[in-house]
Amino acid sequence: QKGYEKKRAKLLACYIPHLSSNPSPEAPGPSTSASRHHRTHRSGGARDERYRSDIHTEAVQAALAKHKEEKMALPMPTKRRSAFVQSPIDTCTPPDTSSASEDEGSLRRKAALSAVLAQSLQSPDYWINRSVQSSSTSSSASSTLSHGEPKTQPQPQLQPAASVLADVLAHTRIENSVPPDVTSTTHQDRGSRVDLPPAVRGMSRGQSRSSMLDTADGVPVNSRVSTKIQQLLNTLKRPKRPPLTEFFLDDAEEIVEVPQPDPNTPKPEGRQIIPVKGEPLGVVSNWPPALQAALARWGATQAKSPALTALDITGKPLYTLTYGKLWSRSLKLAYTLLNKLGTKTEPVLQPGDRVALVYPNSDPGMFWVAFYGCLLAEVIPVPIEVPLSRQDAGSQQIGFLLGSCGVSLALTSEVCLKGLPKTPNGEIIQFKGWPRMKWVVTDTKYLTKPSKDWQPHIPTANTDTAYIEYKASKEGTVMGVAVSKISMLTHCQALTQACNYCEGETLVNVLDCKKDMGLWHGVLTSVMNRIHTITVPYAVMKACPMSWVQRVHIHKARVALVKCRDLHWAMMAHKDQRDTNLSSIRMLIVADGANPWSVSSCDAFLNVFQSHGLKPEVICPCATSPEALTVAIRRPGARGAPLPARAILSMGGLSHSVIRVNTEDKNSALTVQDVGHIMPGALMCIVKPDGPPQLCKTDEIGEIVINSRAGGTMYYGLPGVTKNTFEVIPVNQAGAPIGEIPFTRTGLLGFVGPGSLVFVVGKIEGLLMVSGRRHNADDLVATALAVEPVKTVYRGRIAVFSVTVFYDERIVIVAEQRPDASEEDSFQWMSRVLQAIDSIHQVGLYCLALVPANTLPKTPLGGIHICETKQNFLEGNLHPCNILMCPHTCVTNLPKPRQKQPVDVGPASMLVGNLVAGKRIAQATGRELGVVEDQDLIRKHQFLSEALQWRAQTDPDHVLYVLLNAKGVAVCTATCAQLHKRAEKITATLMERGGLNTGDNVVLLYPPGIDLIAAFYGCLYAGVIPVTVRPPHPQNLAATLPTVRMIIDVSKAACILTTQPLMRILRSREAAASVNVKTWPTIIDTDDLPRKRPPHIYKPPTAEMLAYLDFSVSTTGMLTGVKMSHAAVSTLCRSIKLQCELYSSRQIAICLDPYCGLGFVLWCLSSIYSGHQSILIPPLELESSLPLWLSTLSQYKIRDTFCSYSVMELCTKGLGTQTEILKARGLNLSCVRSCVVIAEERPRLALTQSFSKLFKDLGLSPRAVSTAFGSRVSLAICLQGTAGPDPSTVYVDMKSLRHDRVRLVERGAPQSLPLMESGTILPGVRVIIVNPETRGPLGDSHLGEIWVNSPHTASGYYTIYGEEGLQADHFNTRLSFGEPHTLWARTGYLGFIKRTELLDASGDRHDALFVVGSLDETLELRGLRYHPIDIETSVSRAHRSIAESAVFTWTNLLVVVAELSGSEQEALDLVPLVTNVVLEEHHLIVGVVVIVDPGVIPINSRGEKQRMHLRDSFLADQLDPIYVAYNM
């Protein structure tokens, strides 16, 4: 890949204007000119400067320069303009909110990879050699690149070095090089550079057909969408880096591709590490026996001495607490807690109880008093953050902490209590997940002075718990680390010794005094040493970032306790301050110095403030962990002693946990500073972070573990987790423990450098394990921030985490987007972050999302709450405004695509009795049709037209049809005689006005009703062929009329029979807009017919003559008409009569569309044949009156009813909640014996089951609901009748199904798919399962095409232009072996047959037919067969707002269209969820995700999705999508 990039760059040098950039002007002083260059282009306030470190930025820019020519190759997502209104500016935080991750990190990550790059830029020779070696362009190129195209910069004169470079490039011979992929550049000479829109620039000259692309059907599509898809394909064609070893075992368990270990992976080579000892902890005679004793001593002897100064919001001192006041107030509080809460006999608090401390940062005095009051009362303080709302980020986890610590009492200040959210009646609300709490206010006026004889009990420090400090884990759970009294005291002693604290010093503390360093130095150690602490709360820092520096200056403070953030902020603001002097500082403790990105902050701060008296040796980074407390701290150096060295490590090595000095690629280096030596009295080892705690080698990165008396003792109340963290005994290579003493895991990753210095390279919780390599979230954030974030990212707020998808961790980056960032800028930034992370860290990103400013969940100090962010991402609550998914690039462990086996009938398939290759042949038969004996009946049954005449004579007043309206009123009924007479009238009119010949086609255009039936028989009487067509929808003529026109044209209809209103519509002006209304055939309206009888009624000469044409649009969008002969019609009716036991005394209810398939047969034909009464309910009436169908069933006590899925869905969705009301109205469905859904698809099990469950309360028997199955070639194959066993349900393994195998599994097995039998096979029907390629019969464990042989199969397609040859094989096909004489019809559906344990009517075991899906609809992806409905089911489950979804493929890309029922801001949440679920459940990578409005996915009258129509609309760009995401 590198070589390819290099050659490509050389070949393209002459085409790309800014590739031959000009290194020399930058060379002399790279940092100065580069930074000047950056400034001129930057907009935005000075605050953004803090995000920058020139060195790291240049490293990133240099890496990006390699990718430069691919700049616009990624297709931009399409977005509807209305979507995602940016958050208005006023809701944004003031301009200096802290930023970034848990510990406000982004500010200090800015910097840098090392000064190496800076030196390397200085010599032109380096550049010449380097340029020839690889196409990395110089920093000037990268800096121009970072601001888009420079606007007509005058080309500087070529310096000698550059011209040499040009010569070298010109004379390098490129031998047998790969032809360049020029698709992404334009072929114009440099002078006339025109910036084409991105869509066009993706086309190379080779595609000169004016960027017309052919879709798979050969339809040329010239649209925005297809160009983008083409771009996406071009992007995906690029060679991927990791070459995968390929293996896949067909039919065995699918194996996830396991990347083979790379032989070049660096391995640790050092010896095993030896534990490192800290200096001994010195013994000082006057150290107090307990921390409270120190407070008592200073309170008595130094009462006037200041203990704490707090600042107001402007940074001015607010109050100073002396040691005397601190002592007396703490004493009062202790007395009050023990004696004044509750009664003498039943005190509320006992010593050892846990108490929550809820105080804001801005009021440290109250906190100090509460903390020491608790220590004196011997109750255990648990400091927590102030909850701001019921749903605070992480408040539930705080609840978990309070629960596990058994806290039921909270101390707080009056001001804080007033600010807590209250219920309407003034009580404090119950926070989510919290136990019930009592709140106690600790302001002095509420405390009681202790009585004279009361003295607090101050025992010598022991192993009882002194306080509990909270800690959030990577998963977001909050645990309490218990610190014992002796640990607390020993830790204070160790810090005093390490930092050399003296009595009476002054310390400025900017950290949170509730936990960590802020508590250990600023509250505990300071009191032990009678130090005067000045606390600078977070709120003050926001208002006045220089405040801490001013306090140091004013109070001549000796020690300052800060984070990198505070160093940055002080640098930002220092321009206004001339007279600050920092020479008094002897220790500047950097609390997050363990973060590798702190180096640059420390350097930059020193750079600025050295002139203000800051000494270089006083900067003391340290490493801490909630479990082990302080791990290591750098001691201040002697004046003039050399500063400690730094490690410049290779990121590649780090990702394999190996320490390698970075030599080869300057861009991917990490500079780490030491955090000094470990604490006095401690012992340290480095162990492997996962698995048993094995000691690392000296050149290996591992987790630091510490043994010390000054660490935490346990996670309070969680003994299991405690054991794994606080009682670790390291083992050697052989697995033997190295000793008895337990160590504590610190959660820090690092190594021991020369001179026993400790280096930390990251935290366990920021570790992302991707394909066996470790990446540090902080490092990725730093790289992302170095990619010119200024135009795009809001205050550098970036979160990085990993999610598990398809057996590996996938990296997700979420950043807040500036309110003014443009779409182009954001997308540009995202695609460059991808490239930078790819180059520098060699890892692919799975997802990159931008969310509106200020919408990520915040931690109490304003950082990003990573766990909540991850939770929101996975639940679809992140609401991004831009998203880029790259599954194609980073999912490298998919199984190898299946190779199709060559298809021919081998010797193994020889037929032996009923077996194919050792399995039962998959075939099944309905029961016998039987013979009709009686002559009279033969006449009646030969032709339906005769059956009607016979009924009109023998039983003229028998009511055959009842038509209901929306109110459930019978608006029209028809007896046998009425129907016959009405048909005769129509026949007479046809003969008079139509001028028709026998056998002409006549279109019947009627709403569902009895007119349609009469017109049908009128046509039969006249000897013409009826074609029933659904009338156009008057409100939607543009969409529905063309289909009508098409059927009329295809069927060559000679005449149209219709009603007056429809006739008007056909001739209306609106109709003329969509079709040519002048060329309609004769239109006859049948509303007011003269009373005439035809001279004679036509009788067909043979039963093979056509009876009618059945036209229907298949789900793939094909319009097909099939020819139904009289013989087929009568056997079909007979078959249904036998199956459903229909005779004249029966009533059935039909709620179906009567235009094609089985719906038409039941509506128009079946009653005439069997004589039963049909109650007709037009499905459209249900829209105005939902309960119509069900109340009809109840009112007429119907036993058998037929409906469609759309009717069932309407009832389920619309009436599901109203069952109680319906029951009260007396609706009772216990009479229903069979409710059959008429369909041509896989049974929708979820729908039928929920229907059964919902209406069970109304008496519906769970056994009643079943489905039918028919296809174009045979309108009815299965129909659950009255006889025969109940339909069975099986669970099949989806993985096998993709290989066309059927493997039954247990219910609830992973990857299982429930399938319901499609109903009992009709009498006279034979079904066999056939391999569609070889046309040989299959065994019953195979999925194959369903072939059918039956007397009622249609006699062929009705085609025009003599295309009979195309479909001849659909009707009269023979098996390639086995039973060569039978003629079969191919249904075009895949299914399988299973012999069940149930018995059928004749006592044999019942063979069940399971329909899996249409063959035309299946997707062939990666050599496997997928059914769209399975993928759609997964997609619809992915998020509550997905109303409906549809999938199709285009150029081997899987396109998922999802309808969004929620608000538009949720649209982009769906993209990652859809991608995840399809990858997890189907092992497919989604190529394009399209989010559309509800109702966009076209659905036909049978309730089936028209995926091909959808596909055509998508490619023709007619969907008006809310968002289209192109996955990389």
Side-chain angles (χ1 to χ4, degrees), residues 76 81 272 311 418 498 510 570 833 851 949 998-999 1065 1068 1121 1187 1371 1440 1498 1506:
M76 267 203 44
R81 282 271 45 94
Q272 184 175 304
L311 305 184
K418 282 190 179 133
V510 194
V833 168
V851 300
Q949 295 167 50
T998 305
I1065 287 176
S1068 67
F1371 286 94
R1440 60 183 180 283
Q1506 305 279 291

Side-chain angles (χ1 to χ4, degrees), residues 558-845:
R558 305 277 290 138
V559 182
L561 197 54
V562 296
K563 280 190 166 183
C564 295
R565 170 197 72 192
D566 311 315
L567 300 180
H568 261 291
W569 286 12
M571 282 183 322
M572 292 300 123
H574 95 284
K575 296 189 186 60
D576 328 329
Q577 297 294 324
R578 290 283 164 270
D579 52 349
T580 41
N581 184 347
L582 300 184
S583 56
S584 63
I585 291 194
R586 65 176 185 83
M587 265 190 107
L588 176 60
I589 301 175
V590 184
D592 49 0
N595 183 311
W597 298 97
S598 60
V599 188
S600 50
S601 311
C602 298
D603 293 352
F605 184 78
L606 182 64
N607 222 357
V608 171
F609 284 97
Q610 203 159 358
S611 55
H612 295 264
L614 181 69
K615 301 186 277 292
E617 65 273 11
V618 303
I619 296 182
C620 299
C622 66
T624 64
S625 104
E627 290 80 6
L629 308 188
T630 309
V631 174
I633 185 165
R634 192 189 292 176
R635 323 296 197 254
R639 252 348 279 259
L643 292 173
R646 297 186 169 164
I648 298 176
L649 306 178
S650 130
M651 291 244 195
L654 284 179
S655 73
H656 295 287
S657 299
V658 180
I659 303 164
R660 290 286 177 270
V661 174
N662 181 56
T663 48
E664 67 290 346
D665 187 358
K666 300 295 179 292
N667 297 335
S668 52
L670 180 68
T671 305
V672 198
Q673 63 178 348
D674 69 277
V675 286
H677 293 90
I678 68 164
M679 292 292 282
L683 188 61
M684 177 178 90
C685 307
I686 310 280
V687 300
K688 300 210 158 143
D690 23 43
Q694 192 183 344
L695 285 176
C696 288
K697 300 188 167 159
T698 45
D699 60 344
E700 196 174 357
I701 304 275
E703 182 174 9
I704 299 175
V705 293
I706 293 276
N707 164 269
S708 153
R709 281 175 50 212
T713 47
M714 61 176 167
Y715 291 128
Y716 199 93
L718 302 169
V721 206
T722 296
K723 198 164 173 43
N724 299 337
T725 305
F726 292 91
E727 299 162 27
V728 174
I729 296 187
V731 297
N732 58 19
Q733 244 72 28
I738 58 165
E740 300 293 300
I741 51 173
F743 283 75
T744 297
R745 288 183 180 274
T746 61
L748 299 174
L749 295 170
F751 60 96
V752 179
S756 298
L757 286 174
V758 181
F759 288 86
V760 175
V761 296
K763 293 196 175 87
I764 291 261
E765 63 185 39
L767 202 60
L768 313 170
M769 278 289 287
V770 181
S771 315
R773 289 174 55 219
R774 299 191 168 99
H775 303 277
N776 192 329
D778 280 335
D779 301 347
L780 295 177
V781 172
T783 301
L785 276 169
V787 183
E788 273 297 286
V790 175
K791 291 202 225 124
T792 312
V793 181
Y794 179 69
R795 322 216 153 281
R797 292 174 61 84
I798 297 186
V800 174
F801 52 87
S802 65
V803 294
T804 308
V805 184
F806 195 60
Y807 312 109
D808 199 359
E809 297 286 299
R810 314 284 175 199
I811 298 181
V812 178
I813 296 190
V814 182
E816 289 190 359
Q817 175 177 311
R818 288 179 47 142
D820 54 350
S822 78
E823 203 83 344
E824 287 280 333
D825 284 346
S826 304
F827 189 70
Q828 185 76 2
W829 181 77
M830 288 159 90
S831 36
R832 300 166 56 94
V833 168
L834 289 182
Q835 295 165 352
I837 285 182
D838 188 69
S839 296
I840 288 183
H841 304 275
Q842 273 87 50
V843 65
L845 289 188

Side-chain angles (χ1 to χ4, degrees), residues 1114-1192:
S1114 73
T1115 47
T1116 50
M1118 299 291 289
L1119 173 69
T1120 44
V1122 292
K1123 303 187 279 202
M1124 289 295 290
S1125 68
H1126 286 282
V1129 168
S1130 51
T1131 46
L1132 175 54
C1133 289
R1134 175 165 169 72
S1135 197
I1136 293 172
K1137 174 188 166 101
L1138 288 174
Q1139 191 85 327
C1140 301
E1141 294 177 6
L1142 299 173
Y1143 33 84
S1144 41
S1145 57
R1146 297 281 305 281
Q1147 258 186 333
I1148 66 170
I1150 303 174
C1151 190
L1152 283 170
D1153 271 328
Y1155 298 108
C1156 59
L1158 201 45
F1160 170 75
V1161 173
L1162 289 164
W1163 188 285
C1164 289
L1165 310 182
S1166 201
S1167 272
I1168 307 291
Y1169 184 91
S1170 311
H1172 57 270
Q1173 183 182 346
S1174 298
I1175 294 171
L1176 307 175
I1177 307 165
L1180 271 175
E1181 304 288 359
L1182 259 67
E1183 290 180 8
S1184 49
S1185 157
L1186 273 176
L1188 173 63
W1189 173 50
L1190 296 180
S1191 53
T1192 306

Side-chain angles (χ1 to χ4, degrees), residues 983-1195:
E984 283 193 324
K985 284 198 228 169
I986 291 174
T987 307
T989 308
L990 269 173
M991 288 178 167
E992 273 187 16
R993 296 179 48 197
L996 301 173
N997 300 320
T998 305
D1000 278 348
N1001 297 338
V1002 174
V1003 163
L1004 311 185
L1005 207 57
Y1006 288 94
I1010 293 174
D1011 283 348
L1012 173 68
I1013 304 169
F1016 178 82
Y1017 288 100
C1019 288
L1020 292 192
Y1021 285 0
V1024 292
I1025 314 289
V1027 183
T1028 48
V1029 179
R1030 168 191 309 280
H1033 195 292
Q1035 270 75 56
N1036 192 2
L1037 286 179
T1040 52
L1041 197 57
T1043 311
V1044 175
R1045 178 84 226 192
M1046 201 161 128
I1047 298 180
I1048 289 172
D1049 293 347
V1050 171
S1051 64
K1052 303 207 275 271
C1055 164
I1056 301 174
L1057 290 182
T1058 184
T1059 62
Q1060 278 174 2
L1062 279 168
M1063 184 161 135
R1064 276 190 225 103
I1065 287 176
L1066 290 184
R1067 300 214 160 118
S1068 67
R1069 185 178 292 155
E1070 290 77 31
S1074 35
V1075 297
N1076 181 354
V1077 294
K1078 297 203 174 71
T1079 55
W1080 291 120
T1082 320
I1083 303 180
I1084 299 177
D1085 85 81
T1086 56
D1087 285 358
D1088 311 312
L1089 292 178
R1091 283 215 174 124
K1092 276 198 183 160
R1093 292 189 60 185
H1096 63 90
I1097 288 177
Y1098 174 80
K1099 177 176 190 233
T1102 74
E1104 306 310 313
M1105 298 282 289
L1106 277 196
Y1108 72 97
L1109 292 180
D1110 183 306
F1111 270 93
S1112 151
V1113 179
S1114 73
T1115 47
T1116 50
M1118 299 291 289
L1119 173 69
T1120 44
V1122 292
K1123 303 187 279 202
M1124 289 295 290
S1125 68
H1126 286 282
V1129 168
S1130 51
T1131 46
L1132 175 54
C1133 289
R1134 175 165 169 72
S1135 197
I1136 293 172
K1137 174 188 166 101
L1138 288 174
Q1139 191 85 327
C1140 301
E1141 294 177 6
L1142 299 173
Y1143 33 84
S1144 41
S1145 57
R1146 297 281 305 281
Q1147 258 186 333
I1148 66 170
I1150 303 174
C1151 190
L1152 283 170
D1153 271 328
Y1155 298 108
C1156 59
L1158 201 45
F1160 170 75
V1161 173
L1162 289 164
W1163 188 285
C1164 289
L1165 310 182
S1166 201
S1167 272
I1168 307 291
Y1169 184 91
S1170 311
H1172 57 270
Q1173 183 182 346
S1174 298
I1175 294 171
L1176 307 175
I1177 307 165
L1180 271 175
E1181 304 288 359
L1182 259 67
E1183 290 180 8
S1184 49
S1185 157
L1186 273 176
L1188 173 63
W1189 173 50
L1190 296 180
S1191 53
T1192 306
L1193 300 180
S1194 165
Q1195 180 186 340

Side-chain angles (χ1 to χ4, degrees), residues 1321-1332:
I1321 294 173
L1322 281 168
V1325 177
R1326 284 185 64 197
V1327 171
I1328 187 163
I1329 304 294
V1330 178
N1331 179 329

Side-chain angles (χ1 to χ4, degrees), residues 252-539:
E253 278 301 313
E254 231 171 4
I255 301 169
V256 176
E257 190 70 54
V258 184
Q260 296 301 307
D262 177 0
N264 307 327
T265 305
K267 301 261 188 309
E269 294 151 8
R271 54 180 172 73
Q272 184 175 304
I273 192 170
I274 301 161
V276 181
K277 261 199 161 102
E279 62 198 80
L281 189 58
V283 180
V284 178
S285 53
N286 64 351
W287 263 349
L291 193 58
Q292 306 90 301
L295 177 60
R297 170 180 159 196
W298 302 131
T301 62
Q302 300 275 353
K304 292 276 187 296
S305 157
L308 165 75
T309 299
L311 305 184
D312 66 10
I313 191 75
T314 60
K316 306 271 184 304
L318 184 63
Y319 60 78
T320 295
L321 200 60
T322 60
Y323 275 95
K325 283 262 179 56
L326 178 60
W327 166 247
S328 63
R329 286 185 191 172
S330 307
L331 212 53
K332 274 187 190 171
L333 177 60
Y335 179 73
T336 308
L337 289 178
L338 291 178
N339 302 303
K340 294 297 170 191
L341 305 177
T343 58
K344 272 256 161 46
T345 49
E346 286 186 23
V348 171
L349 279 180
Q350 303 281 3
D353 285 351
R354 274 78 52 212
V355 174
L357 267 49
V358 185
Y359 294 92
N361 268 350
S362 51
D363 195 357
M366 295 290 289
F367 174 76
W368 280 43
V369 169
F371 192 89
Y372 281 106
C374 288
L375 292 185
L376 288 170
E378 288 193 278
V379 296
I380 301 174
V382 185
I384 59 172
E385 304 302 337
V386 178
L388 300 173
S389 72
R390 183 163 157 43
Q391 295 285 353
D392 243 9
S395 74
Q396 211 166 342
Q397 280 78 15
I398 295 280
F400 173 77
L401 164 80
L402 298 175
S404 64
C405 297
V407 175
S408 56
L409 190 79
L411 305 185
T412 186
S413 67
E414 192 169 22
V415 178
C416 182
L417 191 75
K418 282 190 179 133
L420 289 177
K422 312 271 193 305
T423 59
N425 55 11
E427 294 174 16
I428 291 172
I429 62 169
Q430 177 65 28
F431 294 106
K432 194 171 169 198
W434 282 35
R436 295 212 71 65
M437 299 289 268
K438 285 205 182 72
W439 294 83
V440 176
V441 176
T442 61
D443 294 57
T444 318
K445 56 184 171 189
Y446 299 112
L447 302 181
T448 316
K449 205 165 180 189
S451 50
K452 289 277 183 289
D453 55 348
W454 187 82
Q455 272 301 314
H457 174 53
I458 304 184
T460 306
N462 56 12
T463 55
D464 296 348
T465 301
Y467 70 93
I468 293 173
E469 184 170 319
Y470 80 83
K471 169 228 176 182
S473 74
K474 185 175 179 179
E475 288 71 47
T477 35
V478 174
M479 304 182 281
V481 176
V483 179
S484 68
K485 294 175 177 167
I486 189 79
S487 297
M488 178 168 71
L489 186 69
T490 314
H491 189 219
C492 289
Q493 293 168 354
L495 284 177
T496 303
Q497 179 174 327
C499 302
N500 201 3
Y501 281 123
C502 314
E503 201 181 309
E505 281 190 306
T506 306
L507 175 151
V508 170
N509 173 22
V510 194
L511 307 182
D512 179 2
C513 58
K514 292 195 282 294
K515 54 184 279 204
D516 215 78
M517 304 280 285
L519 175 66
W520 310 331
H521 287 259
V523 180
L524 307 178
T525 311
S526 59
V527 165
M528 184 156 144
N529 292 297
R530 194 175 64 80
I531 286 172
H532 174 198
T533 305
I534 295 140
T535 62
V536 183
Y538 175 60

Side-chain angles (χ1 to χ4, degrees), residues 1 136 157 388 456 760 1201 1210 1266 1497 1506:
Q1 172 74 353
S136 143
Q157 287 302 303
L388 300 173
V760 175
T1201 179
L1210 266 178
S1266 63
I1497 295 174
Q1506 305 279 291

